[in-house]
Each structure stands twice: as structure tokens, then as C-alpha cells.
Amino acid sequence: MARTSRDALPGGILEAGQEEMSDVYDLHIDTDVTVQLSDCCREDAQAVFEVLDHTYRLEDMGAPGPAAATAPAATVWMATFDTAGGRHEPTPPAHLTGPVGATLTGGYHAVDEVEKVLARTFDIQSLQSVSGDQETEARLLLATR
């Protein structure tokens, strides 16, 4: 477990092998990618997330419950993956029932890596890219090959 500066030894020195919490947080800024899927059913969202889960470590996932999934309102499926960690296993073939809108948000390199993994399994059409100072957002349309 990382130490914060208030847990440091006298003189502000950390024990060997310990990191400041801010250092740990900064490491994940460039490697975490938030993936938002829209205009798709639960099964299609699961198929896309399973492809990414075979490669990267799942950090966080938010999914509406069964009642929300059948509601007429729009549904967005969201998960965050750490591109620095994970199993890096070959991705299984995946089938989508229809086109899936995907928005990838994160550091430039991390978003590019996630897009490459998705391109190995799905046909991808790039719809738009929005670049910021330290993050980028890529909007894609995924389809079964």
C-alpha cells in the first residue's frame, strides 16, 4: 500500500519501495481509458467489454440493472480499463447484433492502444476525434466482421 506524505518517516522520507499517492494516481492518468457504449443491447455491450477484458485490467464498470435495460430511455454502458495491466490474452471472436457506438476517453497512447485491440475483432469506422491537452476522445462505430 502506498504511503501519503503524512505517513512518511521523520523528515518526510518514505520507506524504500513506497510511493506517494499522487505518484500512483498520476501513473493511471495516462493508462486508463473510459469506454462508453451506446445504441446497443446488453449482449453487445458485454461482447465489446469481454474483448477488452481479455487484454486489459478492468478498473471500473457501471451498468444499469435489468429494469433500466428494458426502459425506453437511452442506455449507455460504461467501463474503465487500465491499459498498463491485464492478461493480454488473444481476443476471442465476437458477434454484435448491430452497430455499436463507442466513445473512448483517456491519454493519447492508451486510447490508441484500445482502438487497435477493438480493430482486431470488429470493423471500425472512426466518426470523430476530439483532442485536448493531455487527453483525447475517439468516437467509433463498431460492427461485426
Side-chain angles (χ1 to χ4, degrees):
M1 182 170 148
R3 288 180 177 249
T4 62
S5 56
R6 66 184 129 101
D7 295 332
L9 297 173
I13 300 171
L14 295 173
E15 291 179 14
Q18 299 297 317
E19 300 178 83
E20 289 276 351
M21 288 297 277
S22 62
D23 292 342
V24 172
Y25 177 75
D26 289 343
L27 286 173
H28 291 285
I29 288 176
D30 292 334
T31 62
D32 280 0
V33 173
T34 300
V35 179
Q36 296 178 0
L37 305 176
S38 58
D39 302 324
C40 67
C41 62
R42 178 183 296 271
E43 292 77 20
D44 286 350
Q46 286 175 332
V48 173
F49 290 150
E50 282 179 19
V51 165
L52 294 174
D53 191 43
H54 274 81
T55 306
Y56 305 118
R57 181 175 50 230
L58 176 65
E59 291 287 310
D60 186 29
M61 185 171 196
T70 60
T75 301
V76 175
W77 311 91
M78 185 168 61
T80 301
F81 294 90
D82 179 4
T83 60
R87 301 180 287 182
H88 298 283
E89 297 173 346
T91 54
H95 176 76
L96 302 174
T97 61
V100 174
T103 302
L104 313 177
T105 307
Y108 287 93
H109 179 71
V111 167
D112 187 51
E113 289 301 310
V114 170
E115 194 169 340
K116 287 177 185 175
V117 168
L118 291 172
R120 288 194 299 248
T121 306
F122 304 106
D123 280 335
I124 293 184
Q125 178 183 358
S126 180
L127 300 177
Q128 182 180 15
S129 179
V130 179
S131 299
D133 226 9
Q134 297 179 15
E135 282 194 340
T136 188
E137 178 180 286
R139 295 183 184 163
L140 311 169
L141 190 60
L142 309 177
T144 299
R145 286 187 178 224

